[in-house]
């Protein structure tokens, strides 16, 4: 999901890093809170906090916990990680924005695996019913979840049609095409009076040959050698 976050924080979200609680800011909810390392990196690059903090990730005493946490971390709207909670929270924020005639938008990034959760489907119904066109759901559809491929654990097909049946406008995109990501996000809402869903087809571990589309790397921590090899493939240095 790194490409999605890069475009969101670099080109789309109306934010004010020096004023993280700016009332008119767009809200971003990382529903798949276990992927917070990427969110922290995006926030640091956007100057919400020093990039040096990233060196402390997941260490005792660090504000950067192993699931997204808003406590002491500027730019994180809400602590997440219990899957299926992010979209319901985003719906509440969007409903308040609509009723108070506020200009902010709400973006929620979900994993495909958490679309197994009933609370996600309740939120989808709620958003369509309340015509929350200030809400954008983005699904990181890499087709792998914790214990297997999505198609094997609980098949979501036909995925887009399910969102449409709940009265969402849906676009499917290449989740690694930066121009397509930006163009699609900037076009939201796709239909007035309708929440927008972007199904971003992605590849877990994109750009690193030994990680790409591998279930093993859902939980595995890279060794120093793995890191060096991955960065070399990405054209970076440690």
């Amino acid at each position: 999901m790194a490409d999605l976050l890069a475009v969101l924080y670099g080109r789309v979200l109306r934010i004010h890093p020096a004023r993280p609680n700016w009332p008119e800011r767009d809200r971003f909810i990382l529903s798949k809170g276990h992927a917070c390392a990427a969110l922290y990196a995006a926030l640091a690059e956007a100057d919400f906090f020093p990039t040096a903090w990233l060196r402390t990730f997941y260490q005792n005493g660090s504000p950067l916990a192993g699931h997204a946490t808003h406590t002491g971390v500027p730019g994180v709207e809400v602590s997440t990680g219990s899957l299926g909670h992010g979209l319901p929270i985003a719906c509440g924020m969007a409903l308040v924005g609509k009723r108070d005639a506020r200009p902010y938008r709400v973006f929620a990034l979900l994993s495909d695996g958490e679309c197994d959760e009933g609370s996600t489907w309740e939120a989808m119904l709620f958003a369509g019913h309340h015509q929350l066109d200030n809400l954008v759901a983005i699904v990181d559809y890499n087709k792998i979840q914790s214990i297997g491929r999505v198609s094997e654990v609980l098949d979501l097909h036909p995925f887009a049609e399910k969102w449409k049946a709940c009265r969402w406008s849906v676009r499917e995109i290449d989740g690694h095409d930066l121009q397509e990501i930006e163009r699609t996000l900037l076009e939201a809402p796709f239909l007035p009076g309708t929440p927008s869903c972007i199904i971003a087809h992605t590849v877990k571990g994109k750009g690193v040959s030994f990680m790409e589309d591998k279930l093993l790397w859902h939980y595995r921590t890279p060794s120093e050698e793995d890191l060096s090899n991955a960065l070399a493939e990405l054209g970076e240095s440690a």
Side-chain angles (χ1 to χ4, degrees):
M1 69 174 196
D3 293 316
L4 297 167
L5 288 179
V7 175
L8 277 164
Y9 280 91
R11 293 295 187 90
V12 176
L13 294 176
R14 291 187 306 145
I15 50 179
H16 199 315
R19 297 173 57 202
N21 296 318
W22 177 43
E24 308 307 315
R25 72 191 182 281
D26 286 337
R27 275 70 167 164
F28 174 77
I29 307 297
L30 179 65
S31 191
K32 48 179 290 181
H34 57 280
C36 60
L39 174 60
Y40 295 151
L43 290 170
E45 291 290 343
D47 295 326
F48 277 91
F49 52 82
T51 56
W53 285 21
L54 300 177
R55 298 283 182 182
T56 73
F57 172 63
Y58 219 166
Q59 295 179 12
N60 287 340
S62 171
L64 306 184
H67 280 76
T69 179
H70 71 282
T71 304
V73 186
V76 178
E77 292 288 342
V78 64
S79 300
T80 55
S82 184
L83 296 178
H85 288 186
L87 188 58
I89 294 171
C91 282
M93 291 179 171
L95 183 64
V96 169
K98 289 282 285 187
R99 290 187 172 178
D100 289 351
R102 303 284 292 281
Y104 68 75
R105 303 166 297 171
V106 185
F107 296 80
L109 181 57
L110 292 70
S111 68
D112 44 14
E114 76 174 306
C115 291
D116 297 351
E117 299 280 357
S119 52
T120 297
W121 296 97
E122 291 178 52
M124 289 163 59
L125 286 164
F126 181 93
H129 174 79
H130 288 284
Q131 302 181 329
L132 301 181
D133 57 4
N134 57 343
L135 173 63
V136 180
I138 307 164
V139 183
D140 178 14
Y141 200 15
N142 60 43
K143 304 166 188 69
I144 290 178
Q145 57 190 103
S146 59
I147 58 174
R149 302 197 70 83
V150 170
S151 60
E152 298 167 349
V153 177
L154 192 60
D155 195 2
L156 295 171
H157 181 76
F159 196 33
E161 283 71 13
K162 290 182 170 70
W163 288 86
K164 291 175 183 177
C166 294
R167 292 186 280 183
W168 288 64
S169 296
V170 182
R171 301 277 181 88
E172 296 191 61
I173 66 170
D174 177 348
H176 301 297
D177 184 326
L178 301 181
Q179 291 183 334
E180 186 177 12
I181 295 169
E182 180 180 2
R183 181 173 63 252
T184 305
L185 284 167
L186 291 176
E187 288 175 353
F190 305 140
L191 188 65
T194 305
S196 302
C197 173
I198 299 172
I199 298 174
H201 292 273
T202 59
V203 177
K204 184 181 288 292
K206 176 71 172 178
V208 180
S209 60
F210 59 89
M211 292 182 176
E212 278 197 0
D213 201 36
K214 300 289 195 305
L215 175 63
L216 175 67
W217 289 99
H218 188 86
Y219 288 117
R220 186 172 182 173
T221 301
S223 66
E224 289 293 334
E225 182 180 1
D226 291 330
L227 175 61
S228 295
N229 291 337
L231 290 173
E233 288 195 25
L234 294 169
E236 304 287 344
S237 57

